Amino acid sequence: MRGFTFSTVLAFFISTLSVAAQDPGVLRLGSAETKVDLTLQDLDALPQSSFTTSTIWTDDAVEFSGVMLAEVLKEIDANGAEVELVALNDYRVKMPFTVVSETAPLVATRMNGATMAVRDKGPYWIVFPYDSDPEFQTEITYSRSVWQLSAINVLQ
Ligand SMILES: Nc1nc2c(c(=O)[nH]1)N[C@H]1C(S)=C(S)[C@@H](COP(=O)(O)O)O[C@H]1N2
Ligand SMILES: [Mo]
């Protein structure tokens, strides 16, 4: 009887967990027309970019590498007024499409060549080349620097 109760409770917890948790390695890309799930393998297959910059989150300058947000958005032919960035903890911020350029921001998949654990702001992190422009050293840009990125939504 006791064994039955324990395994029943265990099975319940396991099924609850698998429903509740989104795989942190999956980046959901969505617009009104399309939804695409991108894995690290998918992101690695897109054109890669990198830059080295200091940040308010790190002691030293670091090299970020990954895929420019502009390149990721091309995957769904995205065009809209705003891009909404969503984190694993449901932190979300909207920014105008005009912020997205060929040089920023980057959907970073690696810091100093290594993938990032969720506890290290990974696996995906929206970063800007902060050192390259005073405009990137502002509260608004910091608020758009979403770590533990889980979804990108294109809004009309
Ligand atoms: N995932 C996630 N990213 C986030 C946030 C957050 O709460 N969760 N806060 C944003 C805001 S509002 C700012 S100003 C910067 C700076 O965060 P920190 O100074 O708390 O490290 O991170 C941004 N990125
Ligand atoms: Mo902020």
Side-chain angles (χ1 to χ4, degrees), residues 10-66:
L10 190 65
F12 173 76
F13 269 104
I14 288 169
S15 64
T16 308
L17 281 174
S18 60
V19 170
Q22 183 193 325
D23 179 351
V26 171
L27 182 60
R28 295 215 162 131
L29 189 55
S31 68
E33 294 82 30
T34 335
K35 290 216 162 20
V36 180
D37 278 0
L38 297 175
T39 63
L40 179 62
Q41 204 183 358
D42 297 327
L43 290 166
D44 284 351
L46 297 177
Q48 302 292 298
S49 302
S50 65
F51 50 73
T52 298
T53 183
S54 66
T55 85
I56 60 168
W57 301 276
T58 54
D59 295 334
D60 302 306
V62 289
E63 187 204 41
F64 289 109
S65 52

Side-chain angles (χ1 to χ4, degrees), residues 75-154:
E75 285 303 286
I76 55 166
D77 279 324
N79 239 308
E82 288 184 305
V83 181
E84 183 184 43
L85 306 166
V86 187
L88 290 172
N89 70 344
D90 221 34
Y91 169 79
R92 53 183 71 216
V93 66
K94 289 175 193 170
M95 65 182 183
F97 230 89
T98 51
V99 173
V100 183
S101 78
E102 292 301 315
T103 54
L106 179 74
V107 180
T109 57
R110 288 172 181 81
M111 194 200 288
N112 294 330
T115 55
M116 297 168 280
V118 170
R119 75 173 73 89
D120 297 322
K121 294 186 159 49
Y124 310 122
W125 186 359
I126 294 281
V127 288
F128 293 77
Y130 305 98
D131 291 345
S132 74
D133 192 332
E135 209 177 298
F136 293 147
Q137 297 157 31
T138 57
E139 186 62 26
I140 185 97
T141 298
Y142 299 144
S143 75
R144 293 167 178 161
S145 302
V146 179
W147 59 82
Q148 299 173 339
L149 182 71
S150 65
I152 299 168
N153 297 317
V154 175

